[in-house]
Short mmCIF file of all heavy atoms in Angstrom, two decimals:
data_model
loop_
_atom_site.label_atom_id
_atom_site.label_comp_id
_atom_site.label_asym_id
_atom_site.label_seq_id
_atom_site.Cartn_x
_atom_site.Cartn_y
_atom_site.Cartn_z
N ARG A 239 -4.81 37.01 10.97
CA ARG A 239 -6.13 37.23 11.58
C ARG A 239 -6.46 36.10 12.55
O ARG A 239 -6.99 36.33 13.66
CB ARG A 239 -7.18 37.33 10.48
CG ARG A 239 -8.54 37.83 10.98
CD ARG A 239 -9.31 38.52 9.86
NE ARG A 239 -9.67 37.60 8.79
CZ ARG A 239 -10.82 36.93 8.75
NH1 ARG A 239 -11.71 37.06 9.72
NH2 ARG A 239 -11.09 36.13 7.74
N ALA A 240 -6.16 34.88 12.16
CA ALA A 240 -6.38 33.74 13.07
C ALA A 240 -5.49 33.83 14.29
O ALA A 240 -5.91 33.54 15.42
CB ALA A 240 -6.14 32.43 12.31
N MET A 241 -4.25 34.28 14.09
CA MET A 241 -3.34 34.39 15.22
C MET A 241 -3.81 35.43 16.22
O MET A 241 -3.71 35.24 17.44
CB MET A 241 -1.94 34.75 14.71
CG MET A 241 -0.84 34.54 15.74
SD MET A 241 -0.48 32.78 16.01
CE MET A 241 -1.28 32.47 17.58
N GLN A 242 -4.36 36.52 15.73
CA GLN A 242 -4.89 37.54 16.62
C GLN A 242 -6.03 36.99 17.48
O GLN A 242 -6.14 37.30 18.67
CB GLN A 242 -5.36 38.76 15.81
CG GLN A 242 -4.24 39.59 15.21
CD GLN A 242 -3.30 40.15 16.27
OE1 GLN A 242 -3.74 40.67 17.31
NE2 GLN A 242 -2.01 40.06 16.02
N ALA A 243 -6.87 36.16 16.87
CA ALA A 243 -7.98 35.56 17.62
C ALA A 243 -7.46 34.66 18.73
O ALA A 243 -7.97 34.66 19.86
CB ALA A 243 -8.88 34.78 16.67
N ILE A 244 -6.44 33.88 18.42
CA ILE A 244 -5.86 32.97 19.43
C ILE A 244 -5.20 33.77 20.54
O ILE A 244 -5.32 33.43 21.73
CB ILE A 244 -4.86 32.02 18.74
CG1 ILE A 244 -5.59 31.09 17.76
CG2 ILE A 244 -4.09 31.20 19.78
CD1 ILE A 244 -4.67 30.34 16.82
N MET A 245 -4.50 34.84 20.18
CA MET A 245 -3.83 35.66 21.19
C MET A 245 -4.85 36.35 22.10
O MET A 245 -4.57 36.57 23.30
CB MET A 245 -2.95 36.70 20.49
CG MET A 245 -1.74 36.10 19.80
SD MET A 245 -0.93 37.26 18.66
CE MET A 245 -0.37 38.52 19.78
N LYS A 246 -6.00 36.66 21.59
CA LYS A 246 -7.02 37.34 22.38
C LYS A 246 -7.86 36.38 23.23
O LYS A 246 -8.11 36.65 24.41
CB LYS A 246 -7.94 38.13 21.44
CG LYS A 246 -9.06 38.87 22.16
CD LYS A 246 -9.97 39.58 21.16
CE LYS A 246 -11.13 40.27 21.87
NZ LYS A 246 -12.04 40.94 20.90
N GLU A 247 -8.24 35.27 22.64
CA GLU A 247 -9.24 34.41 23.28
C GLU A 247 -8.67 33.18 23.98
O GLU A 247 -9.29 32.65 24.91
CB GLU A 247 -10.27 33.94 22.23
CG GLU A 247 -11.01 35.07 21.53
CD GLU A 247 -11.93 35.84 22.46
OE1 GLU A 247 -12.28 35.30 23.53
OE2 GLU A 247 -12.28 36.99 22.13
N ILE A 248 -7.53 32.70 23.53
CA ILE A 248 -7.01 31.41 24.02
C ILE A 248 -5.89 31.58 25.03
O ILE A 248 -5.96 31.10 26.16
CB ILE A 248 -6.53 30.54 22.84
CG1 ILE A 248 -7.64 30.34 21.81
CG2 ILE A 248 -5.99 29.22 23.36
CD1 ILE A 248 -8.86 29.61 22.31
N ILE A 249 -4.84 32.26 24.64
CA ILE A 249 -3.62 32.30 25.45
C ILE A 249 -3.85 32.91 26.83
O ILE A 249 -3.44 32.32 27.84
CB ILE A 249 -2.49 33.03 24.70
CG1 ILE A 249 -2.16 32.28 23.40
CG2 ILE A 249 -1.25 33.14 25.57
CD1 ILE A 249 -1.17 32.99 22.50
N PRO A 250 -4.51 34.08 26.94
CA PRO A 250 -4.67 34.67 28.29
C PRO A 250 -5.50 33.82 29.23
O PRO A 250 -5.34 33.90 30.46
CB PRO A 250 -5.37 36.01 27.99
CG PRO A 250 -5.17 36.27 26.55
CD PRO A 250 -5.10 34.93 25.89
N ASN A 251 -6.37 32.99 28.68
CA ASN A 251 -7.28 32.18 29.50
C ASN A 251 -6.82 30.74 29.70
O ASN A 251 -7.45 29.98 30.43
CB ASN A 251 -8.67 32.18 28.86
CG ASN A 251 -9.24 33.57 28.73
OD1 ASN A 251 -9.23 34.33 29.69
ND2 ASN A 251 -9.72 33.93 27.54
N GLY A 252 -5.72 30.36 29.04
CA GLY A 252 -5.27 28.97 29.15
C GLY A 252 -6.28 27.98 28.60
O GLY A 252 -6.40 26.86 29.11
N ARG A 253 -6.98 28.37 27.54
CA ARG A 253 -8.02 27.48 26.98
C ARG A 253 -7.37 26.57 25.94
O ARG A 253 -7.60 26.70 24.74
CB ARG A 253 -9.18 28.30 26.40
CG ARG A 253 -10.34 27.46 25.92
CD ARG A 253 -11.66 28.22 25.95
NE ARG A 253 -11.67 29.41 25.12
CZ ARG A 253 -12.05 29.44 23.83
NH1 ARG A 253 -12.43 28.32 23.24
NH2 ARG A 253 -12.06 30.57 23.16
N TRP A 254 -6.59 25.62 26.42
CA TRP A 254 -5.83 24.72 25.54
C TRP A 254 -6.65 23.46 25.26
O TRP A 254 -6.30 22.37 25.67
CB TRP A 254 -4.49 24.39 26.17
CG TRP A 254 -3.65 25.59 26.44
CD1 TRP A 254 -3.25 26.06 27.66
CD2 TRP A 254 -3.11 26.50 25.47
NE1 TRP A 254 -2.50 27.19 27.52
CE2 TRP A 254 -2.39 27.50 26.19
CE3 TRP A 254 -3.15 26.58 24.08
CZ2 TRP A 254 -1.73 28.55 25.55
CZ3 TRP A 254 -2.50 27.63 23.44
CH2 TRP A 254 -1.79 28.59 24.17
N GLU A 255 -7.73 23.63 24.54
CA GLU A 255 -8.63 22.54 24.21
C GLU A 255 -8.48 22.16 22.73
O GLU A 255 -8.50 23.03 21.86
CB GLU A 255 -10.09 22.95 24.46
CG GLU A 255 -10.40 23.27 25.92
CD GLU A 255 -11.83 23.75 26.09
OE1 GLU A 255 -12.22 24.70 25.37
OE2 GLU A 255 -12.55 23.19 26.93
N ASP A 256 -8.32 20.87 22.48
CA ASP A 256 -8.27 20.37 21.11
C ASP A 256 -8.91 18.98 21.08
O ASP A 256 -9.45 18.52 22.08
CB ASP A 256 -6.83 20.36 20.58
CG ASP A 256 -5.88 19.58 21.48
OD1 ASP A 256 -6.13 18.38 21.72
OD2 ASP A 256 -4.88 20.17 21.96
N PHE A 257 -8.83 18.32 19.94
CA PHE A 257 -9.50 17.01 19.80
C PHE A 257 -9.03 16.01 20.84
O PHE A 257 -9.81 15.23 21.39
CB PHE A 257 -9.28 16.45 18.39
CG PHE A 257 -7.92 15.85 18.18
CD1 PHE A 257 -7.73 14.47 18.30
CD2 PHE A 257 -6.82 16.64 17.88
CE1 PHE A 257 -6.48 13.90 18.12
CE2 PHE A 257 -5.56 16.08 17.69
CZ PHE A 257 -5.39 14.71 17.81
N GLU A 258 -7.75 16.03 21.16
CA GLU A 258 -7.20 15.05 22.10
C GLU A 258 -7.66 15.31 23.52
O GLU A 258 -7.77 14.38 24.32
CB GLU A 258 -5.67 15.06 22.02
CG GLU A 258 -5.01 13.98 22.86
CD GLU A 258 -3.50 14.00 22.77
OE1 GLU A 258 -2.93 15.09 22.49
OE2 GLU A 258 -2.89 12.95 22.97
N THR A 259 -7.94 16.57 23.84
CA THR A 259 -8.33 16.92 25.20
C THR A 259 -9.56 16.14 25.65
O THR A 259 -9.65 15.73 26.81
CB THR A 259 -8.61 18.43 25.29
OG1 THR A 259 -7.61 19.17 24.58
CG2 THR A 259 -8.65 18.89 26.74
N TYR A 260 -10.49 15.93 24.72
CA TYR A 260 -11.77 15.32 25.10
C TYR A 260 -12.11 14.03 24.36
O TYR A 260 -12.92 13.25 24.86
CB TYR A 260 -12.91 16.33 24.84
CG TYR A 260 -12.85 17.54 25.73
CD1 TYR A 260 -12.44 18.77 25.23
CD2 TYR A 260 -13.20 17.45 27.08
CE1 TYR A 260 -12.39 19.89 26.06
CE2 TYR A 260 -13.16 18.57 27.91
CZ TYR A 260 -12.74 19.79 27.38
OH TYR A 260 -12.69 20.89 28.20
N TRP A 261 -11.56 13.79 23.18
CA TRP A 261 -12.06 12.69 22.35
C TRP A 261 -10.96 11.69 21.99
O TRP A 261 -10.88 11.20 20.88
CB TRP A 261 -12.74 13.27 21.10
CG TRP A 261 -13.90 14.13 21.52
CD1 TRP A 261 -15.09 13.69 22.05
CD2 TRP A 261 -13.96 15.55 21.50
NE1 TRP A 261 -15.90 14.76 22.35
CE2 TRP A 261 -15.24 15.92 22.02
CE3 TRP A 261 -13.10 16.56 21.09
CZ2 TRP A 261 -15.63 17.24 22.15
CZ3 TRP A 261 -13.50 17.88 21.21
CH2 TRP A 261 -14.75 18.21 21.73
N SER A 262 -10.14 11.40 22.99
CA SER A 262 -9.12 10.36 22.83
C SER A 262 -9.20 9.45 24.03
O SER A 262 -10.26 8.91 24.34
CB SER A 262 -7.74 11.01 22.69
OG SER A 262 -6.74 10.02 22.56
N CYS A 263 -8.11 9.29 24.76
CA CYS A 263 -8.06 8.33 25.86
C CYS A 263 -8.71 8.86 27.14
O CYS A 263 -9.20 8.07 27.95
CB CYS A 263 -6.61 7.95 26.14
SG CYS A 263 -5.77 7.26 24.71
N SER A 264 -8.67 10.16 27.34
CA SER A 264 -9.24 10.76 28.55
C SER A 264 -10.47 11.57 28.16
O SER A 264 -10.37 12.74 27.81
CB SER A 264 -8.21 11.67 29.24
OG SER A 264 -8.79 12.33 30.34
N ARG A 265 -11.63 10.94 28.23
CA ARG A 265 -12.86 11.59 27.76
C ARG A 265 -13.65 12.26 28.88
O ARG A 265 -14.77 12.73 28.64
CB ARG A 265 -13.73 10.57 27.02
CG ARG A 265 -13.04 10.00 25.79
CD ARG A 265 -13.98 9.53 24.72
NE ARG A 265 -13.27 9.27 23.48
CZ ARG A 265 -13.83 9.27 22.28
NH1 ARG A 265 -15.12 9.53 22.15
NH2 ARG A 265 -13.11 9.04 21.19
N VAL A 266 -13.08 12.33 30.06
CA VAL A 266 -13.76 13.02 31.14
C VAL A 266 -14.04 14.46 30.72
O VAL A 266 -13.18 15.15 30.17
CB VAL A 266 -12.93 12.98 32.44
CG1 VAL A 266 -11.57 13.65 32.26
CG2 VAL A 266 -13.69 13.62 33.59
N GLY A 267 -15.27 14.91 30.93
CA GLY A 267 -15.65 16.27 30.61
C GLY A 267 -16.12 16.49 29.19
O GLY A 267 -16.51 17.60 28.84
N ALA A 268 -16.11 15.44 28.36
CA ALA A 268 -16.48 15.60 26.96
C ALA A 268 -17.91 16.09 26.79
O ALA A 268 -18.23 16.76 25.81
CB ALA A 268 -16.27 14.29 26.20
N GLU A 269 -18.76 15.76 27.75
CA GLU A 269 -20.17 16.13 27.64
C GLU A 269 -20.46 17.54 28.16
O GLU A 269 -21.35 18.22 27.64
CB GLU A 269 -21.03 15.11 28.39
CG GLU A 269 -20.98 13.71 27.83
CD GLU A 269 -21.46 13.62 26.39
OE1 GLU A 269 -22.43 14.34 26.07
OE2 GLU A 269 -20.88 12.85 25.62
N ASP A 270 -19.70 17.98 29.17
CA ASP A 270 -20.11 19.24 29.80
C ASP A 270 -18.97 20.19 30.17
O ASP A 270 -19.22 21.25 30.75
CB ASP A 270 -20.95 18.95 31.05
CG ASP A 270 -20.27 18.01 32.02
OD1 ASP A 270 -19.12 17.62 31.77
OD2 ASP A 270 -20.90 17.65 33.03
N TRP A 271 -17.73 19.87 29.83
CA TRP A 271 -16.63 20.76 30.17
C TRP A 271 -16.14 21.60 28.99
O TRP A 271 -15.42 22.58 29.20
CB TRP A 271 -15.43 19.96 30.71
CG TRP A 271 -15.62 19.39 32.07
CD1 TRP A 271 -16.74 19.46 32.86
CD2 TRP A 271 -14.64 18.67 32.82
NE1 TRP A 271 -16.53 18.81 34.04
CE2 TRP A 271 -15.24 18.31 34.05
CE3 TRP A 271 -13.33 18.28 32.57
CZ2 TRP A 271 -14.57 17.59 35.02
CZ3 TRP A 271 -12.65 17.56 33.54
CH2 TRP A 271 -13.26 17.22 34.76
N VAL A 272 -16.45 21.22 27.79
CA VAL A 272 -15.86 21.88 26.61
C VAL A 272 -16.20 23.37 26.63
O VAL A 272 -17.36 23.77 26.73
CB VAL A 272 -16.38 21.25 25.31
CG1 VAL A 272 -15.71 21.93 24.10
CG2 VAL A 272 -16.12 19.75 25.30
N GLY A 273 -15.16 24.19 26.58
CA GLY A 273 -15.35 25.63 26.60
C GLY A 273 -15.63 26.22 27.96
O GLY A 273 -15.91 27.42 28.08
N LYS A 274 -15.53 25.40 29.01
CA LYS A 274 -15.84 25.87 30.35
C LYS A 274 -14.69 25.53 31.30
O LYS A 274 -14.05 24.49 31.17
CB LYS A 274 -17.12 25.22 30.88
CG LYS A 274 -18.35 25.47 30.02
CD LYS A 274 -19.53 24.67 30.56
CE LYS A 274 -20.76 24.82 29.67
NZ LYS A 274 -21.89 23.98 30.14
N LYS A 275 -14.47 26.38 32.27
CA LYS A 275 -13.50 26.08 33.31
C LYS A 275 -14.10 25.11 34.33
O LYS A 275 -15.30 25.13 34.59
CB LYS A 275 -13.05 27.35 34.02
CG LYS A 275 -12.15 28.24 33.18
CD LYS A 275 -11.61 29.40 33.99
CE LYS A 275 -10.62 30.22 33.17
NZ LYS A 275 -10.05 31.35 33.96
N VAL A 276 -13.24 24.27 34.88
CA VAL A 276 -13.65 23.35 35.94
C VAL A 276 -13.68 24.13 37.25
O VAL A 276 -12.71 24.80 37.61
CB VAL A 276 -12.67 22.16 36.03
CG1 VAL A 276 -13.07 21.22 37.16
CG2 VAL A 276 -12.62 21.42 34.71
N LEU A 277 -14.80 24.05 37.95
CA LEU A 277 -14.99 24.88 39.14
C LEU A 277 -13.94 24.60 40.22
O LEU A 277 -13.52 25.51 40.94
CB LEU A 277 -16.40 24.64 39.71
CG LEU A 277 -17.56 25.18 38.86
CD1 LEU A 277 -18.90 24.82 39.51
CD2 LEU A 277 -17.45 26.70 38.69
N ARG A 278 -13.52 23.36 40.33
CA ARG A 278 -12.61 22.98 41.41
C ARG A 278 -11.31 23.77 41.39
O ARG A 278 -10.77 24.14 42.44
CB ARG A 278 -12.31 21.48 41.34
CG ARG A 278 -11.42 20.97 42.47
CD ARG A 278 -11.17 19.49 42.34
NE ARG A 278 -10.43 19.16 41.13
CZ ARG A 278 -10.13 17.93 40.74
NH1 ARG A 278 -10.56 16.90 41.46
NH2 ARG A 278 -9.45 17.70 39.64
N ASN A 279 -10.78 24.04 40.20
CA ASN A 279 -9.48 24.71 40.12
C ASN A 279 -9.47 25.93 39.20
O ASN A 279 -8.40 26.51 38.97
CB ASN A 279 -8.38 23.73 39.69
CG ASN A 279 -8.70 23.07 38.35
OD1 ASN A 279 -9.59 23.51 37.62
ND2 ASN A 279 -7.97 22.00 38.04
N ASP A 280 -10.63 26.30 38.66
CA ASP A 280 -10.75 27.47 37.79
C ASP A 280 -9.81 27.37 36.59
O ASP A 280 -9.23 28.36 36.16
CB ASP A 280 -10.47 28.76 38.58
CG ASP A 280 -10.97 30.00 37.85
OD1 ASP A 280 -12.02 29.92 37.18
OD2 ASP A 280 -10.28 31.04 37.91
N MET A 281 -9.67 26.16 36.06
CA MET A 281 -8.85 25.93 34.87
C MET A 281 -9.67 25.15 33.84
O MET A 281 -10.59 24.41 34.19
CB MET A 281 -7.58 25.13 35.20
CG MET A 281 -6.60 25.85 36.09
SD MET A 281 -5.17 24.80 36.49
CE MET A 281 -4.38 24.69 34.88
N TYR A 282 -9.29 25.32 32.59
CA TYR A 282 -9.84 24.45 31.56
C TYR A 282 -9.12 23.12 31.58
O TYR A 282 -7.97 23.01 32.05
CB TYR A 282 -9.65 25.08 30.17
CG TYR A 282 -10.45 26.33 29.94
CD1 TYR A 282 -9.89 27.59 30.16
CD2 TYR A 282 -11.77 26.27 29.50
CE1 TYR A 282 -10.61 28.75 29.95
CE2 TYR A 282 -12.51 27.42 29.29
CZ TYR A 282 -11.93 28.66 29.51
OH TYR A 282 -12.66 29.80 29.31
N LYS A 283 -9.76 22.09 31.09
CA LYS A 283 -9.04 20.87 30.77
C LYS A 283 -8.08 21.22 29.63
O LYS A 283 -8.49 21.77 28.60
CB LYS A 283 -10.01 19.77 30.36
CG LYS A 283 -9.37 18.39 30.27
CD LYS A 283 -10.36 17.34 29.79
CE LYS A 283 -9.67 15.98 29.70
NZ LYS A 283 -10.54 14.99 29.00
N GLN A 284 -6.80 20.94 29.83
CA GLN A 284 -5.78 21.45 28.92
C GLN A 284 -4.93 20.34 28.32
O GLN A 284 -4.62 19.35 28.99
CB GLN A 284 -4.83 22.41 29.67
CG GLN A 284 -5.49 23.64 30.25
CD GLN A 284 -4.53 24.43 31.11
OE1 GLN A 284 -3.66 23.87 31.77
NE2 GLN A 284 -4.70 25.75 31.12
N ASN A 285 -4.53 20.55 27.10
CA ASN A 285 -3.64 19.61 26.40
C ASN A 285 -2.45 20.38 25.84
O ASN A 285 -2.61 21.45 25.24
CB ASN A 285 -4.41 18.93 25.27
CG ASN A 285 -3.57 17.89 24.55
OD1 ASN A 285 -2.68 17.30 25.15
ND2 ASN A 285 -3.85 17.66 23.29
N ASN A 286 -1.25 19.83 26.00
CA ASN A 286 -0.07 20.58 25.56
C ASN A 286 0.15 20.58 24.05
O ASN A 286 0.98 21.33 23.54
CB ASN A 286 1.20 20.11 26.29
CG ASN A 286 1.55 18.66 26.01
OD1 ASN A 286 0.99 18.01 25.13
ND2 ASN A 286 2.50 18.13 26.78
N PHE A 287 -0.57 19.74 23.30
CA PHE A 287 -0.47 19.78 21.85
C PHE A 287 -0.87 21.17 21.34
O PHE A 287 -0.25 21.73 20.44
CB PHE A 287 -1.39 18.71 21.24
CG PHE A 287 -0.78 17.95 20.10
CD1 PHE A 287 -1.41 16.82 19.60
CD2 PHE A 287 0.39 18.35 19.49
CE1 PHE A 287 -0.89 16.10 18.55
CE2 PHE A 287 0.94 17.65 18.43
CZ PHE A 287 0.29 16.52 17.96
#
Side-chain angles (χ1 to χ4, degrees):
R239 191 153 65 92
M241 195 73 256
Q242 288 300 315
I244 295 167
M245 291 166 64
K246 179 183 178 182
E247 301 293 340
I248 304 298
I249 298 173
N251 300 311
R253 185 154 60 91
W254 301 115
E255 297 177 307
D256 54 58
F257 78 97
E258 186 180 26
T259 317
Y260 294 106
W261 299 289
S262 179
C263 302
S264 175
R265 298 207 168 203
V266 60
E269 296 299 323
D270 53 4
W271 288 3
V272 182
K274 301 175 184 177
K275 288 187 175 181
V276 178
L277 291 177
R278 183 180 64 183
N279 57 14
D280 197 36
M281 294 178 68
Y282 293 95
K283 191 182 179 191
Q284 298 173 328
N285 183 28
N286 63 10
F287 222 169

